[in-house]
Amino acid sequence: MELPVIDLAPFLQFSAKSNGYSAEEKLNHELKNLCSEVSRTLRETGALLVKDPRCSAEDNDRFIDMMEEYFEKPDDFKRLQERPYLHYQVGVTPEGVEVPRSLVDEEMHEKLRAMPKEYQPSTPMGPDPKWRYMWRVGPRPSNTRFKELNAEPVIPEGFTEWKDTMDSWGYKMIAAIEAVAEMAAIGFGLPNDAFTSLMKQGPHLLAPTGSDLRRYGKEGTVFAGYHYDLNFLTIHGRSRFPGLNIWLRNGQKMEVKVPIGCLLIQTGKQIEWLTAGDCIAGMHEVVVTNRTIDAINLASQQNRSLWRVSSTLFAHIASDAVLKPLGHFAESPTASNYPSLCAGEFVEQELSVINLKGNREL
């Protein structure tokens, strides 16, 4: 099975012409079908490939080039940007800090043991051997109960283009997420701004990972153990080294292939909450595969960087907004599994389960 590619251009053109539109009144049949395909795909697979004319392959390359340069710096330099007292929510997270949920969640262990062998995830040997950089994107609330989740960004010395590159790519990916969130809301039978209104001033994080394939390029190495994302939606540009596996709602394991110029979107736990489980958080892992080895060999021949960079952004519901099943989802038989609580409280609960008052796996 291949994930469908959704071209956002028709919806973006419609939105530009119809500011403040009523979705039910003005959406034509073709656009309604497109929105239904977005919500259906997110519901069934937990993932979606999109093409956004505002996010070019060149934009992605510029971002990855800079992050490769950063991750290639000595560890002592990178640790200057480490902020453990802020739960690693800004700055760099060194390798060996993020702990995959599959190592610490006993309920998840039970589910994994019950899976057919061919669908079981790879078994991590310990914390993830990858670095991550957390960069806040977008405005933050002036008054919030969750200060540490809305901390100021950290800029490494000597990277004069850092802020412009991070902000440019981050804002473009948030714009793509907002379009998908609006289309998904319409497809789910909710007001078009049901999700985007809750995202305003959210603690969105541009969070690229860096994995050193010179040290950890052996087939089977787990860079990100089996887990879900705790945020609303996650978006990635295309990586130069494959290795991402996702699990469909039916339990089937699938390797993701992102076409050039496309973006991958994955469902997080917050959208599961807002839809009372109609759309569940997608499970995924990043592992060195034979396709990764092929890409390593090609990069070596071309004298390119052997750091695997993911251009990942976590889009969040605002920390002080309330997470609860929306609209008709409040009447769902499963709604009681998703009680109302502040998004910031939810994030802190999730982080504490996986030991980030110290560690984090997002």
Side-chain angles (χ1 to χ4, degrees):
M1 176 185 173
E2 296 287 333
L3 292 174
V5 177
I6 304 293
D7 187 354
L8 301 184
F11 185 80
L12 294 173
Q13 291 164 6
F14 167 78
S15 296
K17 293 176 185 174
S18 311
N19 194 25
Y21 66 93
S22 165
E24 287 303 314
E25 290 174 8
K26 296 186 180 178
L27 272 181
N28 62 35
H29 182 69
E30 183 181 343
L31 286 176
K32 284 182 180 178
N33 284 344
L34 196 62
C35 293
S36 294
E37 186 174 2
V38 167
S39 59
R40 178 189 60 78
T41 305
L42 291 176
R43 180 190 293 117
E44 293 177 0
T45 70
L48 184 71
L49 290 168
V50 300
K51 192 168 183 63
D52 188 325
R54 301 166 298 181
C55 301
S56 69
E58 291 75 22
D59 291 329
N60 189 46
D61 284 341
R62 178 182 172 222
F63 175 80
I64 289 180
D65 287 346
M66 186 184 75
M67 293 313 305
E68 286 177 348
E69 182 184 351
Y70 172 77
F71 285 125
E72 285 169 354
K73 294 288 187 186
D75 289 1
D76 287 348
F77 172 85
K78 288 182 290 206
R79 286 185 181 276
L80 296 174
Q81 290 85 53
E82 189 179 2
R83 300 292 185 272
Y85 56 89
L86 292 175
H87 305 167
Y88 297 101
Q89 289 295 291
V90 291
V92 79
T93 305
E95 63 180 57
V97 171
E98 293 192 0
V99 177
R101 196 175 190 109
S102 55
L103 277 183
V104 296
D105 188 326
E106 188 53 43
E107 184 180 342
M108 190 176 287
H109 273 290
E110 293 295 325
K111 290 180 180 177
L112 298 187
R113 282 193 283 268
M115 282 183 177
K117 285 285 185 186
E118 66 270 25
Y119 296 157
Q120 288 183 2
S122 302
T123 304
M125 296 296 102
D128 294 337
K130 70 174 187 290
W131 293 71
R132 189 192 292 281
Y133 206 99
M134 299 293 244
W135 178 264
R136 298 289 176 189
V137 178
R140 293 295 182 263
S142 53
N143 294 305
T144 176
R145 292 166 50 198
F146 305 96
K147 299 287 187 189
E148 71 276 11
L149 296 180
N150 295 275
E152 289 301 309
V154 179
I155 301 176
E157 187 177 348
F159 284 79
T160 55
E161 76 282 20
W162 186 272
K163 187 178 189 304
D164 286 345
T165 302
M166 299 293 266
D167 285 345
S168 172
W169 186 234
Y171 276 108
K172 287 182 178 185
M173 291 213 289
I174 284 179
I177 285 265
E178 287 174 340
V180 169
E182 200 165 313
M183 294 173 77
I186 294 166
F188 284 128
L190 299 171
N192 59 291
D193 66 346
F195 298 134
T196 53
S197 61
L198 296 174
M199 290 172 60
K200 286 183 170 57
Q201 296 191 333
H204 311 307
L205 281 167
L206 183 56
T209 61
S211 305
D212 187 354
L213 294 170
R214 289 187 192 278
R215 293 181 62 197
Y216 302 113
K218 182 181 177 183
E219 187 169 354
T221 300
V222 181
F223 283 125
Y226 180 82
H227 68 285
Y228 63 76
D229 293 342
L230 61 82
N231 53 297
F232 172 60
L233 291 173
T234 302
I235 185 168
H236 313 263
R238 186 175 186 268
S239 175
R240 290 171 178 168
F241 298 90
L244 175 66
N245 295 318
I246 67 171
W247 276 259
L248 309 183
R249 188 161 190 151
N250 65 8
Q252 181 183 346
K253 180 180 179 180
M254 186 178 87
E255 184 179 7
V256 177
K257 299 174 184 177
V258 181
I260 293 173
C262 290
L263 302 164
L264 172 69
I265 290 176
Q266 294 175 276
T267 52
K269 201 68 175 178
Q270 290 176 346
I271 194 172
E272 178 177 330
W273 216 270
L274 297 171
T275 62
D278 189 58
C279 185
I280 63 172
M283 304 304 299
H284 51 283
E285 67 178 4
V286 178
V287 181
V288 176
T289 66
N290 58 347
R291 290 182 65 236
T292 318
I293 300 295
D294 291 342
I296 291 171
N297 292 336
L298 181 60
S300 296
Q301 292 167 17
Q302 297 175 346
N303 200 29
R304 290 189 284 108
S305 173
L306 292 182
W307 277 84
R308 183 191 187 276
V309 173
S310 72
S311 54
T312 301
L313 183 138
F314 299 118
H316 278 261
I317 299 304
S319 300
D320 295 280
V322 175
L323 280 181
K324 63 180 180 180
L326 300 177
H328 62 88
F329 291 120
E331 307 304 318
S332 165
T334 57
S336 60
N337 297 331
Y338 300 93
S340 297
L341 78 166
C342 272
E345 290 176 23
F346 170 77
V347 170
E348 289 183 339
Q349 285 176 17
E350 288 283 307
L351 294 177
S352 67
V353 167
I354 44 188
N355 197 26
L356 185 95
K357 305 299 176 175
N359 295 335
R360 177 199 62 249
E361 176 64 85
L362 281 170

